[in-house]
Amino acid sequence: MVVLTIDGAISQTNNGSQAQFDMAMLEKLPQHSFSTQTPWYPSAVSFTGPLLRDVLAAVGAKGKNITAVALNDYKTEIPIDDATRHDVIVARLMNNRPMRVREKGPLFIVYPFDTKAELRSELYYNRAAWQLHILRIR
């Protein structure tokens, strides 16, 4: 089952002009974990998944901006530079468990908010996207 579709300015595709990933494909990318405080949970939560920059590299992304789209059509703009400047992950596990849709899953773009004071702001909280299912590279 496809859990993430990437389109736009990419060079590696597997379905027409898109790159589509199922969970097993995302699991094959190098995995990273961190615990961080977020505005959405009362205490620190552990997240695990591939780095956003590794996902972008896998599809040959060439652009300046990402539009992340959630299952509920929430959209947020993320500068591609965020993927290189910060260890942003496409989380597929929360506290070592897969996330159901009602638990903000199956995928959640998460910044390591606790690592830098600048990340603990509305700007970066708004760039986090749960129930992620599309990345549009522009």
Side-chain angles (χ1 to χ4, degrees), residues 52-129:
L52 177 59
R53 65 177 159 260
D54 290 343
V55 174
L56 296 175
V59 300
K62 301 287 185 217
K64 298 215 181 278
N65 291 296
I66 304 164
T67 302
V69 183
L71 292 170
N72 66 359
D73 287 329
Y74 172 81
K75 294 178 180 73
T76 187
E77 297 296 320
I78 303 169
I80 287 221
D81 287 350
D82 278 12
T84 54
R85 292 184 23 206
H86 310 294
D87 288 336
V88 180
I89 63 172
V90 178
R92 49 179 204 78
L93 301 176
M94 182 173 68
N95 294 330
N96 298 314
R97 289 184 27 245
M99 295 173 280
R100 296 183 298 211
V101 170
R102 69 182 199 202
E103 297 171 327
K104 299 185 174 22
L107 300 175
F108 190 166
I109 291 180
V110 184
Y111 285 72
F113 300 114
D114 290 349
T115 61
K116 299 175 186 170
E118 73 178 282
L119 295 178
R120 291 187 295 276
S121 69
E122 286 301 311
L123 176 68
Y124 291 98
Y125 294 147
N126 289 338
R127 290 179 182 171

Side-chain angles (χ1 to χ4, degrees), residues 11-74:
S11 60
Q12 303 297 314
T13 62
N14 62 4
N15 185 17
S17 62
Q18 301 176 327
Q20 294 185 323
F21 290 83
D22 61 21
M23 201 61 79
M25 294 165 73
L26 291 172
E27 288 173 16
K28 287 181 182 172
L29 294 171
Q31 301 295 294
H32 297 267
S33 297
F34 57 72
S35 289
T36 190
Q37 298 275 346
T38 75
W40 311 288
Y41 300 102
S43 57
V45 176
S46 172
F47 294 98
T48 301
L51 291 171
L52 177 59
R53 65 177 159 260
D54 290 343
V55 174
L56 296 175
V59 300
K62 301 287 185 217
K64 298 215 181 278
N65 291 296
I66 304 164
T67 302
V69 183
L71 292 170
N72 66 359
D73 287 329
Y74 172 81

